[in-house]
Amino acid sequence: MIADVKKSAEQKMQKSLEALKVDLSKVRSGRAHTGLLDHVTVDYYGAQTPINQVANINLIDARTIGVIPWEKKMANAIEKAIRDSDLGLNPMPVGDTIRVPMPALTEERRRDLIKVVKHEAETVRVAMRNIRRDANAHLKELLKSKEISEDDERRGQDEIQKLTDRFISEIDKVLQVKEAELMAV
């Protein structure tokens, strides 16, 4: 019983940590990476379609992403979608390729991005604490229904607390790496 509660809490915490990593990968540093355009969607014959399903995305150099549409008539729609996204990028068509240069980040913009990253991390920390609360409530229910003893419940709460501490330290490590990446010039 306790093992099931702990396993369920651990799986939920792992999913929350993975979601944080995905969200932080969308916050751009000065370097280009193809994952930056993953959440950009293009109007493809009336349906909103992820950009990587209508074009090849590759790195031209460290600060430039190249987008090559599979259909030539999609170039304008792709260019518009990138320009209208919340990334602040200015794509330029060059022949068949759309070049997306990454502008250098100013010090002020870096500080703003760090605030955003810290807020994302705090949101996930709160989610971890909520998962811990739910797991502890489940242990209390098991205790009330006399399926486990008080000692087992206390031991289970300690294990869940250790699990929570471990995942929160993981969040802190991910946050430190992202902050260092953002502040690197």
Side-chain angles (χ1 to χ4, degrees):
M1 292 293 213
I2 295 172
D4 293 342
V5 172
K6 182 181 175 191
K7 185 177 179 185
S8 171
E10 185 171 11
Q11 288 172 343
K12 289 177 184 174
M13 288 181 182
Q14 187 63 43
K15 285 180 184 174
S16 295
L17 183 63
E18 294 303 319
L20 174 68
K21 289 178 182 177
V22 168
D23 287 346
L24 293 185
S25 71
K26 292 177 185 174
V27 176
R28 69 181 179 89
S29 60
R31 290 189 304 267
H33 63 94
T34 57
L36 203 60
L37 300 176
D38 282 352
H39 73 286
V40 176
T41 58
V42 180
D43 184 25
Y44 185 67
Y45 298 109
Q48 289 298 318
T49 309
I51 196 168
N52 59 4
Q53 293 182 12
V54 296
N56 283 332
I57 302 173
N58 56 26
L59 291 179
I60 295 173
D61 58 47
R63 290 195 171 268
T64 311
I65 299 173
V67 181
I68 305 167
W70 293 333
E71 298 177 28
K72 295 206 186 305
K73 61 184 173 190
M74 287 302 298
N76 288 337
I78 291 171
E79 185 181 345
K80 182 181 182 325
I82 294 170
R83 187 170 282 119
D84 293 346
S85 71
D86 59 349
L87 298 172
L89 300 174
N90 191 19
M92 300 176 298
V94 179
D96 292 345
T97 305
I98 300 170
R99 294 174 62 94
V100 185
M102 303 300 295
L105 294 174
T106 63
E107 185 72 21
E108 183 181 341
R109 181 69 179 138
R110 289 176 196 269
R111 299 245 183 256
D112 290 344
L113 289 174
I114 285 178
K115 286 179 187 173
V116 168
V117 166
K118 285 183 177 178
H119 177 72
E120 292 284 337
E122 185 56 34
T123 302
V124 174
R125 281 191 201 104
V126 169
M128 295 288 179
R129 292 184 198 115
N130 289 341
I131 293 168
R132 177 188 62 195
R133 182 197 63 216
D134 294 344
N136 286 340
H138 195 264
L139 289 174
K140 281 187 176 35
E141 288 174 20
L142 291 175
L143 179 65
K144 278 184 183 177
S145 64
K146 305 243 189 266
E147 294 181 41
I148 60 173
S149 67
E150 285 185 24
D151 289 341
D152 288 341
E153 186 233 2
R154 197 165 299 117
R155 205 171 301 115
Q157 285 183 350
D158 289 344
E159 288 177 17
I160 289 171
Q161 182 60 48
K162 288 176 187 168
L163 188 67
T164 306
D165 293 342
R166 190 181 91 213
F167 275 100
I168 286 182
S169 72
E170 281 290 317
I171 291 170
D172 293 340
K173 288 176 191 171
V174 169
L175 180 62
Q176 283 179 337
V177 168
K178 190 62 179 184
E179 282 183 14
E181 181 184 314
L182 286 171
M183 289 311 288
V185 178

